[in-house]
């Protein structure tokens, strides 16, 4: 939980009551709706995205999705190669 760039492990209970209590303690985070919660670097980044035309944002998102897909495919290929080496050894 927490900042997506600084995730923290949830150590609480797994039943409904424990999760509900934890969820109530969560609050807003940095973003266009809560700029006062952002540090200067994140404010600058949010402002840059807000200033971009929607087509540019969509193109950037698509490009990032393509990069993630390629990284996942490369990882899968690497893992298969390592598994093959392990089995042959």
């Amino acid at each position: 939980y927490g900042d997506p760039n600084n995730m923290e492990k949830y150590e609480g209970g797994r039943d409904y009551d424990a999760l509900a209590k934890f969820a109530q303690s969560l609050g807003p985070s940095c973003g266009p709706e809560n700029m006062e919660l952002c540090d200067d670097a994140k404010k600058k980044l949010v402002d840059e995205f807000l200033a971009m035309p929607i087509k540019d944002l969509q193109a950037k998102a698509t490009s990032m999705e393509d990069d993630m897909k390629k990284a996942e495919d490369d990882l899968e290929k690497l893992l298969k190669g390592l598994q093959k080496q392990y089995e042959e050894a």
Side-chain angles (χ1 to χ4, degrees):
Y1 68 94
D3 180 348
N5 296 313
N6 186 26
M7 300 297 291
E8 298 174 37
K9 185 175 181 180
Y10 173 71
E11 298 286 347
R14 303 290 185 197
D15 61 34
Y16 176 81
D17 291 335
L19 291 170
K21 182 178 179 183
F22 173 73
Q24 289 174 352
S25 72
L26 298 175
S29 60
C30 169
E33 299 292 322
N34 299 299
M35 292 290 280
E36 68 279 0
L37 300 175
C38 301
D39 61 28
D40 289 341
K42 288 183 182 175
K43 282 182 185 176
K44 183 179 180 213
L45 184 61
V46 170
D47 286 337
E48 288 174 9
F49 286 133
L50 289 174
M52 291 175 83
I54 192 70
K55 285 186 177 184
D56 292 350
L57 281 172
Q58 290 170 334
K60 186 168 187 69
T62 299
S63 174
M64 292 176 82
E65 288 170 355
D66 292 345
D67 291 346
M68 287 176 27
K69 175 70 172 133
K70 182 182 182 319
E72 290 170 359
D73 291 346
D74 290 348
L75 176 61
E76 184 67 26
K77 184 177 177 182
L78 173 66
L79 292 174
K80 285 181 180 179
L82 290 172
Q83 183 65 33
K84 183 178 179 186
Q85 287 177 11
Y86 173 76
E87 290 171 358
E88 291 173 352

